[in-house]
Amino acid sequence: GHFKQRHKVQNNKVHSEIRNIIGSGIFISPKGVLEHSGSVGLALVVWVLGGCIAALGSLCYAELGVTIPKSGGDYSYVTEIFGGLMGFLLLWSAVLIMYPTTLAVIALTFSSYVLQPVFPNCVPPYMATRMLSATCLLLLTWVNCSSVRMATRIQDVFTVGKLMALGLIIVVGLVQICNGNYEALTPQVAFSMERTPSVGQIALAFLQASFAFSGWNFLNYVTEEVVEPRRNLPRAIYISIPLVTFVYTLTNIAYFSSMSPEELLSSNAVAVTFGEKLLGMFSVIMPISVALSTFGGINGYLFTSSRLCFSGAREGHLPSLLAMIHYKNCTPIPALLCAATIVILCIGETHNLINYVSFINYLSYGVTIAGLLYHRWKKPNLYRPIKVNLLVPVCYLMFWALLLGFSLYSEPVVCGVGLVIMLTGVPVYFLGVHWKEKPKCIYNFIERATYVGQRLCFVVFPQFDPIEIAGPSEWTDRSSGRSSLSANS
């Protein structure tokens, strides 16, 4: 009985990690990967290598997860290893860039897939996509403010839409290949290109693919729940990441079996175009499935991003109002009411937003993995239940340096803006967090603003730790967004 129970826990972890990684990115990124890589063959190579890089990174995170057993992911590790400023910059970039931009990308994808069948022969109007995206965000923010249970239930139901869409694409694609429709996949056609892409363009193709893999760094946030993490955590990584890479590659092969590169690049909603070509009267299934998937994705990100603000506030890195919860519903309402996403929706275009957010994501991964090497050097005798070969972080960091360098060279404005916003956190840290002896008038103003916020949102400081009460599974398992900082204490 004990063995069965252990086996069941382990299976649940693998399922949950696969669900965390397979997000809405696979319906968004194929177009960007193909555009930057210049050929079908190279695009497929980028998808496979993207999975390999994610596997290297997650092994490093697994070591950090069991060596520094704090919930809070990157933020906790970097604060522990490099100190408050680096941790704050990571938090600052997550609050101002990673979460709002990812939410904007998924919301725009949702509206594109919903509106594409309504405007079959043209791109949906700019205002229509923005209005629908904003409506969807506001609706889900209301759901998350009202009830944790309703938010998690939505998450479970909408995961089905995601898997249904991917399963349908892969099965139909394989049928096409069995019927002999694989000219575009033969090596001489797949690797033929009108122009040879520069190294910078290939780096941008990797950034686009990495958006679809961006759940890999949650694999170690369940370390406290996993039985024998030393053995089971690497096993979960070895099973889930190759499986996700396999699913993503098959999905792309399915697209290319029935669509020419030109068709794929001109499509505003790749899966809808695929459905219209192959599913006939059943093609309406595709936009519905993807809309369900992206709707669930937005909900997952909202659910976990609010917990990031919540944990940052408890560390003293963000205003204390963000650590407060509704007196009756126990939901962190102030942390949910973030207007940044609506602003990004109005100024951004999906393709550029992915480069922008992936660049900052990679930057934080690299800093965390560099922290692993620094921690090994500073504390060589510390007991590490999982200890990866030094080649793993070194290979990851070499790839990371090349990728970020060439991405910045190819898209200096898009990637540079993210860096500048991240660095604005330095004066904010020294003025807001580091400077303890502030004038009394500033403290009075903060106290007054907090009081007004409490009255408006009906929130109070929790008398207990909601994460401990809910149990870790509710906070990590059920989110398909960045659960990395969902269960912070």
Side-chain angles (χ1 to χ4, degrees):
H2 178 62
F3 173 76
K4 277 186 180 172
Q5 183 62 29
R6 249 180 18 182
H7 190 64
K8 189 179 172 189
V9 168
Q10 177 54 27
N11 281 344
N12 287 344
K13 290 302 132 229
V14 175
H15 294 159
S16 123
E17 300 330 325
I18 291 169
R19 188 171 71 179
N20 273 342
I21 300 173
I22 298 182
S24 312
I26 185 60
F27 305 115
I28 309 167
S29 300
K31 181 177 171 180
V33 173
L34 179 64
E35 189 177 319
H36 288 301
S37 56
S39 74
V40 170
L42 202 52
L44 292 174
V45 169
V46 166
W47 281 105
V48 174
L49 285 179
C52 297
I53 297 302
L56 292 181
S58 56
L59 285 170
C60 297
Y61 268 62
E63 176 179 325
L64 282 168
V66 291
T67 310
I68 306 170
K70 278 186 174 182
S71 48
D74 325 44
Y75 171 54
S76 291
Y77 308 149
V78 170
T79 307
E80 174 87 11
I81 297 166
F82 292 122
L85 175 61
M86 290 297 282
F88 178 80
L89 288 180
L90 221 65
L91 179 72
W92 181 252
S93 59
V95 170
L96 287 186
I97 302 171
M98 290 182 211
Y99 279 118
T101 310
T102 305
L103 273 170
V105 169
I106 303 174
L108 287 170
T109 307
F110 168 78
S111 52
S112 296
Y113 273 92
V114 169
L115 293 172
Q116 190 66 31
V118 183
F119 299 93
N121 301 318
C122 63
V123 175
Y126 178 88
M127 275 309 289
T129 53
R130 266 61 187 178
M131 291 293 285
L132 183 59
S133 300
T135 308
C136 171
L137 274 169
L138 292 171
L139 171 68
L140 284 170
T141 302
W142 173 77
V143 167
N144 277 272
C145 285
S146 304
S147 160
V148 172
R149 184 170 284 119
M150 197 170 15
T152 52
R153 195 146 300 157
I154 283 179
Q155 206 47 45
D156 289 345
V157 170
F158 284 84
T159 299
V160 176
K162 175 164 59 186
L163 300 176
M164 191 165 78
L166 282 176
L168 193 60
I169 290 168
I170 290 170
V171 168
V172 172
L174 290 176
V175 169
Q176 282 288 98
I177 290 168
C178 292
N179 291 339
N181 297 316
Y182 52 80
E183 300 82 38
L185 297 166
T186 53
Q188 59 268 38
V189 178
F191 286 95
S192 64
M193 46 186 92
E194 290 171 19
R195 55 171 184 82
T196 307
S198 65
V199 181
Q201 287 298 315
I202 292 171
L204 291 175
F206 269 105
L207 280 191
Q208 292 282 326
S210 77
F211 184 77
F213 282 104
S214 61
W216 64 261
N217 63 319
F218 313 155
L219 278 162
N220 57 313
Y221 300 115
V222 290
T223 46
E224 291 158 40
E225 301 163 69
V226 178
V227 183
E228 294 182 43
R230 185 173 172 219
R231 197 182 70 207
N232 288 332
L233 205 57
R235 190 181 294 171
I237 293 165
Y238 296 142
I239 296 171
S240 60
I241 293 188
L243 193 60
V244 170
T245 308
F246 183 65
V247 167
Y248 281 2
T249 310
L250 272 185
T251 305
N252 279 277
I253 287 172
Y255 287 148
F256 296 130
S257 71
S258 53
M259 296 163 74
S260 68
E262 292 71 31
E263 279 178 308
L264 197 142
L265 290 173
S266 62
S267 168
N268 194 43
V270 181
V272 171
T273 312
F274 178 85
E276 284 168 356
K277 282 197 75 170
L278 296 183
L279 297 176
M281 59 185 286
F282 296 108
S283 61
V284 72
I285 295 171
M286 202 50 77
I288 292 171
S289 303
V290 178
L292 290 177
S293 164
T294 45
F295 194 76
I298 295 166
N299 183 63
Y301 267 72
L302 271 175
F303 186 75
T304 53
S305 62
S306 61
R307 272 75 196 174
L308 162 66
C309 297
F310 186 80
S311 87
R314 283 198 312 195
E315 289 284 326
H317 283 171
L318 290 176
S320 60
L321 183 66
L322 295 179
M324 296 186 189
I325 58 172
H326 191 272
Y327 75 100
K328 200 185 281 180
N329 298 332
C330 294
T331 50
I333 290 179
L336 279 163
L337 299 176
C338 294
T341 304
I342 305 290
V343 176
I344 292 169
L345 269 182
C346 302
I347 57 171
E349 183 269 319
T350 313
H351 185 80
N352 284 338
L353 288 178
I354 291 177
N355 282 342
Y356 169 66
V357 75
S358 296
F359 182 82
I360 293 296
N361 263 340
Y362 252 102
L363 195 60
S364 68
Y365 299 156
V367 169
T368 310
I369 290 169
L372 170 86
L373 292 176
Y374 181 72
H375 199 246
R376 284 252 192 119
W377 176 65
K378 285 288 281 184
K379 298 185 177 176
N381 300 322
L382 187 71
Y383 172 63
R384 292 174 169 83
I386 295 175
K387 196 169 183 179
V388 295
N389 189 307
L390 269 179
L391 276 175
V392 174
V394 167
C395 289
Y396 186 92
L397 287 172
M398 282 166 62
F399 175 82
W400 172 80
L402 286 171
L403 181 78
L404 291 193
F406 284 113
S407 303
L408 195 58
Y409 174 75
S410 302
E411 286 273 16
V413 177
V414 172
C415 300
V417 166
L419 264 182
V420 169
I421 292 175
M422 196 172 184
L423 292 174
T424 56
V426 176
V428 174
Y429 174 79
F430 283 108
L431 288 172
V433 181
H434 191 70
W435 181 28
K436 302 292 183 197
E437 303 298 317
K438 297 184 187 73
K440 197 161 187 284
C441 59
I442 294 179
Y443 283 118
N444 289 340
F445 172 74
I446 292 169
E447 201 174 306
R448 186 79 197 147
T450 305
Y451 175 71
V452 171
Q454 281 187 273
R455 293 293 296 267
L456 284 172
C457 299
F458 298 99
V459 289
V460 291
F461 276 115
Q463 298 301 306
F464 54 85
D465 188 332
I467 289 124
E468 283 173 18
I469 298 296
S473 62
E474 186 159 330
W475 301 85
T476 36
D477 236 41
R478 301 187 181 249
S479 57
S480 91
R482 286 174 63 94
S483 327
S484 48
L485 296 139
S486 61
N488 300 337
S489 44

